[in-house]
Amino acid sequence: MFLNLVSSGWKANAPNTRGIYSNPNIIMALDDVVKTTITGPRIEEAMYRTLRWIDRCIAAHKRPHDQNLFGIVQGGLDPVLRDICVRGLVDRNLPGYAIGGLAGGEDKDSFWRVVAQCTATLPEDKPRYVMGVGYPLDIVVCSALGADMYDCVYPTRTARFGTALVPEGVLKLKHRAMAEDTRPIDPTCACMVCKNYTRAYIHSLVTKDAMGSQLLSFHNLYYMMQLSKNLHSSIVQGKFPEFVCNFLQKMFPKGDIPEWVCNAMEVAEIDISSCCAPFRYIQATKVQSNLNEDEIQAV
């Protein structure tokens, strides 16, 4: 599933659309993917191979007028390799760019820093697509850092395990506590599932019937589409910082926002002090200040 959040002039592939594979309007160049948790010369090898392959894809591309060929930035967690790959792809003037090789087990602090580095250099007037990212929190953070598009099986995969996406995070319907809960999954949700079924009923299904997973998949996809719609609207209306604070307040009502999120928002220049525990926010700001000093000294 593609979520196209910002670039209103670009259409995204929709699930269950006839001809989706035979006539896509976005096509991805072949890349050499290695896990971000490994180190050594294999990462550099994969990055340069990805650049060679994009040239072959461009040469073989027969329908540039109606199919947008995206290149994929590789380079693992190495900022130098990532920069080489970004510059190489930008030089080829592609219709859009993807940030690949993430969400593969790396720590969140490394994750957001790679995204921030790539989006800062990739053209602002072309789609920037973070591949394999589907957690709502990751999408909000990456959007703050300048990303536009995402794809992931997370909403349906987590539904198969009996988990629903809600503004507070996740709701595990297999838990025994759900057995007698007559509320909908999310009282604020307008999807068909929340309007017609209780948590208790879905609990009785997810423990023994595939229909439970199907209902949760429907709800989770609806949740993601609403998140995307609201995120996009907030950007268009110039209210994105307020959207971010709202989102974080619901997910972290105690203000215990992860430090990596605080650090990322500092770089994105979004003030989240109103929804972040004071000590945690001060610590994140201090970390970012130290990082900037180190960068200055390195230069």
Side-chain angles (χ1 to χ4, degrees):
M1 179 180 70
F2 276 119
L3 296 181
N4 190 345
L5 302 181
V6 182
S7 306
S8 57
W10 292 83
K11 296 181 181 179
N13 289 329
N16 300 323
T17 301
R18 186 175 182 179
I20 184 172
Y21 297 113
S22 61
N23 191 31
N25 60 353
I26 294 175
I27 57 176
M28 306 304 302
L30 186 64
D31 62 335
D32 186 2
V33 187
V34 294
K35 289 189 65 125
T36 51
T37 52
I38 72 167
T39 57
R42 177 70 182 92
I43 298 175
E44 182 175 3
E45 176 190 49
M47 186 276 292
Y48 280 112
R49 179 175 288 123
T50 296
L51 283 178
R52 291 197 302 273
W53 281 352
I54 186 63
D55 288 328
R56 297 183 188 182
C57 290
I58 292 171
H61 192 199
K62 303 301 181 185
R63 298 169 55 192
H65 58 287
D66 64 351
Q67 287 187 334
N68 301 286
L69 175 65
F70 282 30
I72 303 174
V73 180
Q74 291 293 347
L77 302 181
D78 187 321
V80 174
L81 295 181
R82 285 281 178 176
D83 188 53
I84 292 171
C85 198
V86 166
R87 286 189 280 107
L89 292 176
V90 171
D91 287 345
R92 287 156 173 84
N93 193 27
L94 299 165
Y97 304 89
I99 302 168
L102 293 175
E106 73 280 356
D107 62 275
K108 288 293 188 181
D109 195 61
S110 298
F111 163 77
W112 79 260
R113 291 177 189 278
V114 170
V115 173
Q117 178 191 353
C118 294
T119 54
T121 311
L122 291 170
E124 291 185 7
D125 61 344
K126 293 183 178 181
R128 292 168 290 188
Y129 158 34
V130 186
M131 305 182 77
V133 168
Y135 293 159
L137 179 59
D138 290 0
I139 287 175
V140 171
V141 169
C142 290
S143 297
L145 295 171
D148 305 307
M149 298 170 61
Y150 312 90
D151 79 299
C152 191
V153 299
Y154 174 67
T156 51
R157 182 184 61 201
T158 200
R160 293 198 296 274
F161 290 100
T163 302
L165 302 180
V166 292
E168 297 75 22
V170 296
L171 187 69
K172 297 184 181 295
L173 275 299
K174 285 188 176 181
H175 281 187
R176 194 172 299 176
M178 299 289 109
E180 297 181 5
D181 195 330
T182 57
R183 292 174 294 173
I185 294 173
D186 176 9
T188 67
C189 179
C191 81
M192 172 274 293
V193 179
C194 289
K195 285 182 177 179
N196 293 287
Y197 302 101
T198 65
R199 296 179 181 183
Y201 176 71
I202 297 174
H203 168 82
S204 70
L205 291 178
V206 295
T207 54
K208 57 189 175 186
D209 193 313
M211 179 59 73
S213 298
Q214 293 174 15
L215 291 175
L216 287 179
S217 292
F218 187 98
H219 164 80
N220 286 353
L221 290 173
Y222 185 92
Y223 172 88
M224 295 303 296
M225 294 305 294
Q226 287 301 114
L227 173 68
S228 305
K229 178 181 177 182
N230 294 337
L231 198 159
H232 177 266
S233 297
S234 73
I235 294 172
V236 172
Q237 296 168 11
K239 298 179 179 180
F240 183 63
E242 293 93 323
F243 170 87
V244 172
C245 286
N246 234 1
F247 176 87
L248 293 175
Q249 282 174 341
K250 291 177 182 175
M251 186 167 284
F252 304 101
K254 296 180 180 179
D256 54 340
I257 299 171
E259 190 172 320
W260 71 271
V261 176
C262 296
N263 291 339
M265 291 304 99
E266 182 74 16
V267 168
E269 299 183 349
I270 294 179
D271 181 6
I272 60 170
S273 57
S274 63
C275 53
C276 197
F279 177 75
R280 184 175 293 269
Y281 186 73
I282 290 170
Q283 287 297 103
T285 304
K286 195 175 294 183
V287 167
Q288 186 55 41
S289 297
N290 292 339
L291 174 65
N292 290 340
E293 289 174 8
D294 292 342
E295 287 175 344
I296 290 170
Q297 290 173 4
V299 173

